Amino acid sequence: LLVMNHEYINQGALHPNGPTAAAGNGGVRPEDEVRKEIAAHGVSVVHIKQDSEGTWDVVFGSPFNRRITGGTEMDIRGPVRGNAKLVTKFSPNGTETRGTLNNCSMGPTPWGTYLAAEENWHGYFANSDANQPREQTRHGVNDSSRYDWELADSGADAYVRFDVTPGGGDATSDYRNEANTYGYMVEIDPFTPEAKPQKRTALGRFGHEGVIFAPATEGKPVVCYSGDDARFEYIYKFVSAQPYSAATAGGYLLDEGTLYVAKFNDDGTGEWLPLSLDDADFAAKVTAANGTMVGDINFDGFADQADVLLNTRLAADIAGATPMDRPEWGAVDPNSGEVYFTLTNNSLRTEDQTDAANPQAENRTGHIIRWTEANSDHAATSFDWDIFVFGGEQGTETVVDGEAVVTLDDDNIFNSPDGLWFDYNGRLWIQTDGSDAAPYQNNMMLAANPVTREIKRFFVGPVGCEVTGVVTTPDVKTMFVNIQHPDANWPFGTEGDHPRDATVIVTRNDGGVIGA
């Protein structure tokens, strides 16, 4: 089963004549265009099969083929389930919602399900009220939305829910809390088509880029990592309260546990700071911050742990986490257990804001950071870190102990590392989503040796694209790579056709292992 996210849409490619703007259409958008755009978001499960000649194709009519969209009904699970701040007209008890949006990276669970990440969900909602709650302001919800879905001309409930401006009644009469049902990791069971997707709130609410699980060990907690893809945001880790058992493991393991946020010290050590009111140090910081300005928010405390998770970014601010240069994908080395994260870029970081983990002011080319958990235990609360590689033009060096361990040249220059994945043989695959100006040109995928730090360019994508998402068959002889928002009518190459996102299948001419 090939499962993939559909992060966002290219309106010009989706509609034959382009989208109808509300501004020139009496302040409304045609319902059918909005319906189509919502349906184009979400996740696809596609049953594929390879024939005797090596050709892959879709198994049409398979019961596994399905779409999870921006309108699919979903359950809220974990500590935030039933909270008053999730009450809506659709779900008066705050236990359900509709849809998942802006799904970026993903994470396969140890029990064989799929987690889709809700990243820039905030842009889909509009709130024209002068006083917005912190659950919206800390994420950037404003008085207009990206696609104006709330302005569908039918006025149907499925569309007006994207207007989160409070009405005259209580929360059961409008959608003031609809945005609070987004910003989570969403668990989907590809092998059970009738299964309802689950939003796992214990993993925090923020701009999830994706999630990566540490190898699951019988009798030990489940551990997973997630980055918040925005400038000066954080890296998180979740440790389950219950131990893993292969015989019974399931999504319930993600509903109880401790969410931590990373602090990278300048001496190469790090700490995992718990975001739990049951932790004395965090509770003391919350008490001390009460009545003060935390960033742009006049902080007045947390009502309970559900409130902490609803406001994960704010909780991390108070805990004292290290603001990072847009943490995106993570990967765990299957051989060493080291954890890698891409820090894509941050052009807004000033010289005064640099630190050892984010040492570049106006960081436009990004870097990859990695760490080893104390005692090789992924549930540990401390770690040691270093920078694996800096992106940049020819001659860019990554220096360790006074020696350049990587020097980029014509064959491996890159910028803005984004996608990251270890294959079954321990190769690290790096995908980029950055500037296509000289000397970098198109975005690309590279392969890296985590031990020697040797990096080689594997392929270059089409003009205008982001290279995003990679997986191989278990024998590492077939690779699936996604190409997002290409230009120049790719892959058709004929004038007048719209460009299309696509999954590219890579094999070797000799039938061997990819990257060998």
Side-chain angles (χ1 to χ4, degrees):
L1 299 181
L2 184 64
V3 189
M4 70 184 76
N5 295 336
H6 305 290
E7 185 175 2
Y8 58 92
I9 56 173
N10 178 342
Q11 285 182 299
L14 190 65
H15 304 295
N17 300 312
T20 303
N25 193 49
V28 296
R29 292 200 59 213
E31 177 186 21
D32 201 53
E33 287 187 11
V34 173
R35 176 199 59 78
K36 186 176 181 181
E37 291 174 9
I38 293 173
H41 282 71
V43 177
S44 284
V45 181
V46 186
H47 188 180
I48 59 175
K49 185 177 181 180
Q50 188 179 38
D51 66 21
S52 59
E53 296 181 355
T55 300
W56 290 88
D57 205 351
V58 175
V59 180
F60 292 101
S62 169
F64 295 110
N65 293 335
R66 64 168 169 151
R67 291 276 291 116
I68 295 92
T69 76
T72 301
E73 292 190 11
M74 304 188 175
D75 283 334
I76 307 292
R77 296 294 180 186
V80 185
R81 177 180 171 85
N83 188 272
K85 291 183 179 181
L86 268 67
V87 167
T88 65
K89 184 180 179 180
F90 174 76
S91 181
N93 61 3
T95 62
E96 295 179 284
T97 189
R98 285 171 289 184
T100 183
L101 296 169
N102 211 252
N103 306 101
C104 196
S105 178
M106 57 80 199
T109 68
W111 45 93
T113 59
Y114 180 94
L115 287 177
E118 297 182 323
E119 188 193 1
N120 292 314
W121 49 269
H122 65 277
Y124 293 78
F125 299 95
N127 186 343
S128 59
D129 193 78
N131 299 307
Q132 296 184 13
R134 64 192 186 188
E135 290 82 18
Q136 295 177 19
T137 58
R138 183 63 177 80
H139 288 273
V141 174
N142 56 44
D143 60 1
S144 62
S145 67
R146 178 182 295 180
Y147 300 119
D148 290 335
W149 289 344
E150 72 281 5
L151 302 180
D153 56 15
S154 68
D157 187 72
Y159 312 122
V160 298
R161 66 190 174 101
F162 294 101
D163 184 348
V164 293
T165 307
D170 62 20
T172 63
S173 64
D174 59 31
Y175 287 99
R176 68 189 67 179
N177 291 329
E178 182 75 0
N180 292 343
T181 69
Y182 285 80
Y184 304 104
M185 296 302 310
V186 183
E187 186 172 14
I188 296 166
D189 185 351
F191 300 97
T192 309
E194 67 275 13
K196 196 174 182 180
Q198 313 284 309
K199 296 202 176 187
R200 300 294 179 189
T201 65
L203 275 60
R205 176 176 173 267
F206 46 89
H208 285 275
E209 173 75 13
V211 67
I212 181 68
F213 282 80
T217 303
E218 196 77 16
K220 292 188 175 182
V222 169
V223 178
C224 58
Y225 302 87
S226 188
D228 187 350
D229 181 14
R231 296 179 181 94
F232 302 109
E233 293 299 342
Y234 309 114
I235 296 174
Y236 298 87
K237 176 170 80 171
F238 173 81
V239 180
S240 69
Q242 298 185 54
Y244 173 79
S245 169
T248 60
Y252 70 90
L253 290 168
L254 304 180
D255 288 341
E256 296 180 50
T258 302
L259 185 67
Y260 297 87
V261 66
K263 180 181 180 182
F264 292 83
N265 300 319
D266 285 350
D267 63 358
T269 64
E271 307 164 55
W272 289 108
L273 309 175
L275 303 180
S276 170
L277 293 173
D278 291 333
D279 179 81
D281 288 342
F282 178 69
K285 291 176 182 177
V286 169
T287 299
N290 202 348
T292 70
M293 294 297 295
V294 179
D296 297 329
I297 294 172
N298 187 0
F299 182 64
D300 60 355
F302 292 120
D304 49 29
Q305 187 60 26
D307 201 16
V308 172
L309 293 168
L310 270 169
N311 295 277
T312 303
R313 284 180 171 177
L314 180 59
D317 294 338
I318 293 169
T322 301
M324 308 298 284
D325 286 348
R326 288 187 57 201
E328 297 217 49
W329 291 48
V332 177
D333 188 329
N335 297 316
S336 70
E338 289 178 302
V339 185
Y340 290 66
F341 257 79
T342 52
L343 302 174
T344 293
N345 54 51
N346 184 356
S347 60
L348 299 183
R349 189 178 288 274
T350 66
E351 199 69 52
D352 291 341
Q353 293 171 313
T354 59
D355 53 46
N358 305 275
Q360 300 184 107
E362 297 184 23
N363 182 10
R364 299 180 185 276
T365 53
H367 54 292
I368 299 174
I369 200 166
R370 67 179 176 183
W371 62 86
T372 302
E373 299 280 15
N375 301 316
S376 297
D377 179 5
H378 286 99
T381 56
S382 62
F383 56 90
D384 294 314
W385 66 268
D386 73 343
I387 291 175
F388 177 66
V389 67
F390 287 102
E393 59 187 23
Q394 293 92 334
T396 298
E397 294 183 337
T398 302
V399 177
V400 176
D401 296 330
E403 179 182 353
V405 293
V406 182
T407 302
L408 299 182
D409 57 28
D410 289 342
D411 295 326
N412 62 7
I413 60 167
F414 69 93
N415 76 101
S416 300
D418 187 344
L420 203 63
W421 184 68
F422 273 101
D423 68 24
Y424 303 99
N425 293 323
R427 294 180 191 84
L428 179 62
W429 297 92
I430 302 167
Q431 300 176 319
T432 71
D433 180 24
S435 169
D436 58 3
Y440 307 105
Q441 305 305 325
N442 299 5
N443 283 300
M444 64 187 69
M445 190 160 82
L446 308 101
N449 183 320
V451 178
T452 66
R453 304 195 206 215
E454 180 185 16
I455 299 174
K456 292 184 177 182
R457 187 176 300 120
F458 181 65
F459 75 72
V460 176
V463 172
C465 84
E466 171 188 355
V467 181
T468 176
V470 56
V471 72
T472 67
T473 49
D475 61 7
V476 200
K477 292 183 177 181
T478 302
M479 174 179 278
F480 302 88
V481 183
N482 287 334
I483 301 296
Q484 183 169 254
H485 60 72
D487 293 336
N489 300 322
W490 186 90
F492 304 108
T494 56
E495 188 174 352
D497 281 328
H498 292 290
R500 286 287 186 267
D501 299 357
T503 298
V504 175
I505 301 174
V506 182
T507 58
R508 285 175 60 118
N509 290 339
D510 64 4
V513 170
I514 302 293

